[in-house]
Amino acid sequence: MTTLTVTRTTLLKDLRMEWRSKDAINSMLFFALLVVVIFSFAFNPTAEESRMIAGGLIWVAFLFAAVVALNQTWARELRNQVLDAYRVSPAPPNALFLAKAIGNFLFVVVLECLMTPLFVIFYELRSIGPVWQLIVVALLGTWALVVNGTFFAALSIRTRSREIMLPLILFPISIPALLGMVDATTSILTGEATPDFWIKLLAVYDIVFTAICLMLFETVLNAE
Amino acid sequence: MKRLALITLPLTLVLLAVSSYLALVVAPTEATMGDVQRIFYYHVPSAWVGGFCFFINFVASIWYLWKRSPRSDALAAASAEVGVVFCAVLLIEGTLWARPVWGIWWTWDARLTTTLVLWLIYVSYLVLRRFSAGQTQVMAAALAVFAFADVPIVYMSIRWFRTQHPSPVMGGGENSGLAPAMLQVFLVNLALFTVLGILFIWLRYKLETAEQALESAHAQAALKGAA
Amino acid sequence: MAGTSEPHPPPVILLDNLVKFFGRFAALRGISASFAPGRLYVVLGDNGAGKSTLLRVVAGLMEPSQGSISLLGAKRIREVAPRIGYMGHAPLLYDELSGMENLRYFAGLYGIPDDEVSRNAMRMVGLDPDLPRRVGQYSQGMRQRLSLARAVLHDPELILLDEPFSNVDVHSARDMAAVLGRVRDQGKTIFVVTHQAALMEDVADEFVHMAAGQIVSRDEVVRKSVNVGSMR
């Protein structure tokens, strides 16, 4: 019984449950739609400078939507206290973490795929730089948000008012990643600068924090 | 503990008076900025103490995760609080200095922004401590590791962000060629702030361990009572 | 102490001055005890006596604040996790999955790839493995049975059950008690925390009374001669 097997079965189990209840994805989708529409009111989408701030808009919208998803990460495990069943089993804790993080990653990526066309339509976006770079930035950036988000959601299980707690601890730590995503996206969209540095920074951020999450998750999971 | 505090506190106050006299009166007035520059004698030491506190917080947290000693958690809590205070002082001094010299209160310059982000991160650490329900120590120690690992990444990202775009900052680093008279005053202040920082951490640490002792005394009483 | 009268088999559980604090509250106040294998222990006591806490500490879900614990000869509970079964106060099941899907997932956590194991576990507690209904639509009794099946799925040597009969009708509860008796007869050690001592009278080997975070007394059940076969 390796970490990988348990990760896979846990991930499949989560996807099946999500497919049946559609809790997270529905609320996330609707929330994301709301964010796009409200942003369109707040920032005139037809203005020339909207291209300059589009990177920021898109990522802030994704960030908000991701927090909605992340807050639901452990909800299912806490209902009926199923988490205890995992904890008493010999299955490796990191498998649970990876399954949850990958699950969240998939949710948020699906969400981004659905929201991006809306942004493109509402803001008449065209990318001057290469689109494949946008995809790389999106994948690295999403993992950056999701890996720490999954971990911090586990931290907030043992706090009062846990839904508020998650953004409070996630946002400050995520600032460099967010900065990277926003600036990289803007420089690709405008074609004015190269996003190379930001892609490297996001990669470093992902590696460093994935490693820390895997080192500390067992400690946090079993703290009781 | 009380006696030691009674000795060290007045001593620190006297030293603070002396160093302030040095910084505000004895040190020569800077040529272009004038008296405003004197805030530098407080500003840089505040930054140093803030960074020092966060480093202590990191080491204490790692130690806690390894040994689970409540004392190292007390030290982590104390140093994070003192660090946040010095960091806040640093930000306020920065704006006070920036207004007359740069003509603006705030600019998204690399150092300012990094400091602000650091301050936000460690405030969130304190918030977690306050809001956690049970197992505060483990949760806080884990977050401290994330926080400290983020520091170099924050610095790198913001430096790149700000050197890439033109920024409205005029005047470069004030460290470029400090007059010997200024340097002496600066070193005195640096030493004093370090002592002050350590004193604050130590007092806060004592308070924290006293609270821990009280908690465990109550717990032990509950253990023995009603037997 | 009744449990120590049999010096032969090494104890399954050895507790040494176990203390658990929740803030200032001491939920366990220095429990030292040893429990012999192959017996069914029924843990009784008022609410807040520390029964559930004791079970959680023994299951490895909680770190004791003081004292030490030795389980199946190991100091670190994680090492013997595959040999322990735990049934919590809550069902510990996913409402959105069917009974078999639940068991299949948990079997996977124990590295059991064989579906037949899960099917047998369901049959043992009197549930139909082919029932397509999701656990969310189960009755309380069925849920508790399935929860029991989950706890014993991997054939553990030590089974810890927290209030297995809560909200269960008397009929189901008697069935479950009988299942427990049979499992014990296979040589497993079982701990049942319950309020309904009467249900366990026929199968229990020993009643452990807890009050205010301590074990106050242990009463061995003297079997009638008819039942002596199950006493080993």
Side-chain angles (χ1 to χ4, degrees):
Chain A
M1 176 198 41
T2 62
T3 302
L4 232 54
T5 336
V6 178
T7 306
R8 207 190 54 230
T9 54
T10 306
L11 181 62
L12 289 176
K13 182 256 315 169
D14 280 349
L15 292 179
R16 172 178 292 169
M17 282 165 62
E18 184 52 46
W19 184 250
R20 286 185 186 167
S21 70
K22 302 188 183 67
D23 286 347
I25 201 83
N26 277 342
S27 51
M28 259 165 61
L29 276 179
F30 186 58
F31 184 78
L33 178 67
L34 285 178
V35 169
V36 177
V37 172
I38 287 173
F39 275 23
S40 304
F41 291 135
F43 308 96
N44 182 4
T46 53
E48 210 20 63
E49 57 275 12
S50 72
R51 184 186 303 279
M52 294 300 294
I53 57 167
L57 288 186
I58 292 173
W59 278 106
V60 171
F62 289 171
L63 178 68
F64 285 163
V67 167
V68 176
L70 290 165
N71 259 328
Q72 307 215 11
T73 313
W74 302 99
R76 244 187 232 114
E77 306 297 324
L78 293 177
R79 204 181 305 149
N80 295 347
Q81 296 181 20
V82 202
L83 195 56
D84 285 349
Y86 193 98
R87 288 180 53 209
V88 294
S89 82
N94 277 342
L96 180 64
F97 176 77
L98 283 174
K100 291 291 175 189
I102 294 170
N104 281 328
F105 180 74
L106 293 178
F107 283 149
V108 178
V109 165
V110 166
L111 190 88
E112 288 170 0
C113 291
L114 296 169
M115 276 169 87
T116 308
L118 289 178
F119 269 110
V120 170
I121 293 167
F122 285 171
Y123 286 86
E124 285 180 59
L125 290 180
R126 263 167 299 117
S127 176
I128 293 169
V131 175
W132 67 267
Q133 284 187 336
L134 280 178
I135 295 172
V136 171
V137 169
L139 293 179
L140 289 173
T142 306
W143 181 255
L145 291 181
V146 155
V147 71
N148 280 354
T150 307
F151 190 93
F152 293 161
L155 272 188
S156 6
I157 288 176
R158 288 184 225 288
T159 58
R160 287 170 276 140
S161 54
R162 59 174 87 114
E163 308 254 309
I164 304 168
M165 208 49 220
L166 175 62
L168 289 189
I169 51 183
L170 177 62
F171 286 2
I173 300 262
S174 300
I175 286 174
L178 207 61
L179 194 58
M181 297 173 232
V182 170
D183 217 50
T185 307
T186 306
S187 34
I188 297 168
L189 284 181
T190 58
E192 280 169 7
T194 153
D196 290 357
F197 172 82
W198 293 120
I199 290 177
K200 279 182 219 148
L201 183 103
L202 285 173
V204 169
Y205 184 97
D206 284 355
I207 292 167
V208 167
F209 284 106
T210 306
I212 297 178
C213 285
L214 292 177
M215 274 190 294
L216 293 178
F217 185 70
E218 182 171 2
T219 307
V220 166
L221 180 72
N222 288 332
E224 186 175 325
Chain B
M1 138 104 203
K2 210 178 242 171
R3 201 186 314 152
L4 211 54
L6 280 177
I7 300 167
T8 47
L9 265 183
L11 195 69
T12 318
L13 283 176
V14 169
L15 284 174
L16 201 59
V18 171
S19 75
S20 289
Y21 176 75
L22 287 176
L24 299 179
V25 181
V26 175
T29 308
E30 210 265 347
T32 49
M33 286 182 266
D35 282 338
V36 182
Q37 182 268 343
R38 292 178 193 280
I39 209 164
F40 160 79
Y41 300 115
Y42 300 93
H43 193 63
V44 178
S46 306
W48 149 248
V49 175
F52 175 72
C53 287
F54 295 146
F55 179 70
I56 297 276
N57 170 266
F58 173 66
V59 173
S61 298
I62 291 280
W63 191 259
Y64 178 80
L65 286 173
W66 188 25
K67 295 282 183 187
R68 296 297 161 102
S69 103
R71 278 158 177 269
S72 54
D73 176 69
L75 183 60
S79 52
E81 273 185 26
V82 176
V84 164
V85 169
F86 272 91
C87 211
V89 167
L90 180 68
L91 288 168
I92 294 167
E93 287 165 350
T95 54
L96 288 180
W97 178 84
R99 179 67 188 149
V101 176
W102 287 344
I104 38 172
W105 290 107
W106 181 264
T107 168
W108 294 99
D109 148 86
R111 250 174 279 180
L112 268 69
T113 313
T114 305
T115 311
L116 178 66
V117 174
L118 266 187
W119 185 78
L120 289 173
I121 289 175
Y122 281 93
V123 168
S124 82
Y125 169 88
L126 295 181
V127 170
L128 178 76
R129 286 199 81 99
R130 186 72 50 191
F131 274 83
S132 72
Q135 297 299 331
T136 313
Q137 305 180 331
V138 179
M139 304 294 139
L143 188 60
V145 175
F146 281 82
F148 200 74
D150 213 24
V151 172
I153 302 181
V154 169
Y155 182 71
M156 286 295 291
S157 66
I158 288 167
R159 211 175 61 151
W160 181 264
F161 187 57
R162 278 308 148 197
T163 45
Q164 192 190 28
H165 299 283
S167 58
V169 180
M170 48 167 279
E174 51 282 75
N175 280 1
S176 41
L178 205 58
M182 288 181 173
L183 186 66
Q184 281 165 10
V185 176
F186 169 68
L187 288 178
V188 169
N189 269 269
L190 191 66
L192 174 81
F193 264 66
T194 309
V195 172
L196 199 64
I198 292 173
L199 180 71
F200 282 168
I201 294 179
W202 181 69
L203 288 173
R204 192 62 193 78
Y205 167 77
K206 278 294 172 193
L207 191 62
E208 197 73 21
T209 47
E211 269 173 26
Q212 282 178 355
L214 185 68
E215 274 308 299
S216 86
H218 274 287
Q220 291 299 334
L223 191 61
K224 294 203 179 75
Chain C
M1 288 249 159
T4 49
S5 61
E6 248 180 304
H8 229 53
V12 176
I13 303 180
L14 198 63
L15 308 175
D16 183 20
N17 194 26
L18 215 57
V19 173
K20 178 68 187 178
F21 293 120
F22 294 115
R24 290 178 181 184
F25 173 68
L28 300 181
R29 302 193 302 132
I31 295 181
S32 298
S34 87
F35 297 94
R39 295 168 65 86
L40 199 161
Y41 299 91
V42 177
V43 185
L44 302 169
D46 296 335
N47 286 334
K51 308 184 297 290
S52 292
T53 307
L54 179 62
L55 223 56
R56 286 183 80 77
V57 170
V58 172
L61 288 167
M62 265 182 193
E63 284 284 315
S65 309
Q66 291 169 25
S68 71
I69 180 166
S70 159
L71 230 61
L72 299 160
K75 282 280 171 201
R76 289 192 64 236
I77 296 176
R78 253 201 101 68
E79 286 167 18
V80 289
R83 296 158 67 190
I84 304 172
Y86 171 78
M87 175 177 171
H89 201 174
L92 275 64
L93 297 165
Y94 294 104
D95 283 348
E96 295 90 338
L97 301 179
S98 74
M100 264 306 280
E101 284 169 340
N102 262 294
L103 292 192
R104 211 176 279 141
Y105 172 65
F106 291 114
L109 297 185
Y110 288 89
I112 303 169
D114 191 2
D115 243 22
E116 204 46 42
V117 174
S118 305
R119 300 179 79 86
N120 281 338
M122 279 193 87
R123 286 193 205 103
M124 190 185 74
V125 294
L127 289 172
D128 175 12
D130 296 315
L131 193 68
R133 221 191 290 176
R134 293 178 194 167
V135 171
Q137 292 149 359
Y138 272 27
S139 72
Q140 267 298 335
M142 291 167 76
R143 220 181 257 237
Q144 291 294 84
R145 284 161 186 251
L146 185 62
S147 187
L148 178 62
R150 188 203 56 74
V152 299
L153 182 71
H154 51 292
D155 196 25
E157 292 160 54
L158 173 62
I159 302 166
L160 309 163
L161 310 171
D162 195 352
E163 301 280 3
F165 312 122
S166 61
N167 300 317
V168 173
D169 59 279
V170 181
H171 179 69
S172 288
R174 290 208 183 286
D175 279 359
M176 285 169 73
V179 170
L180 293 180
R182 286 201 295 277
V183 172
R184 182 267 327 272
D185 292 345
Q186 293 163 15
K188 318 289 184 196
T189 314
I190 306 179
F191 276 79
V192 183
V193 165
T194 185
H195 284 106
Q196 289 134 294
L199 279 170
M200 300 300 296
E201 259 164 11
D202 292 340
V203 289
D205 292 313
E206 192 175 321
F207 287 99
V208 179
H209 297 273
M210 286 188 72
Q214 281 173 326
I215 293 179
V216 286
S217 69
R218 295 172 63 168
D219 304 316
E220 198 156 359
V221 176
V222 183
R223 278 275 161 241
K224 287 171 236 130
S225 54
V226 200
N227 277 359
V228 104
S230 65
M231 284 282 287
R232 297 151 29 95

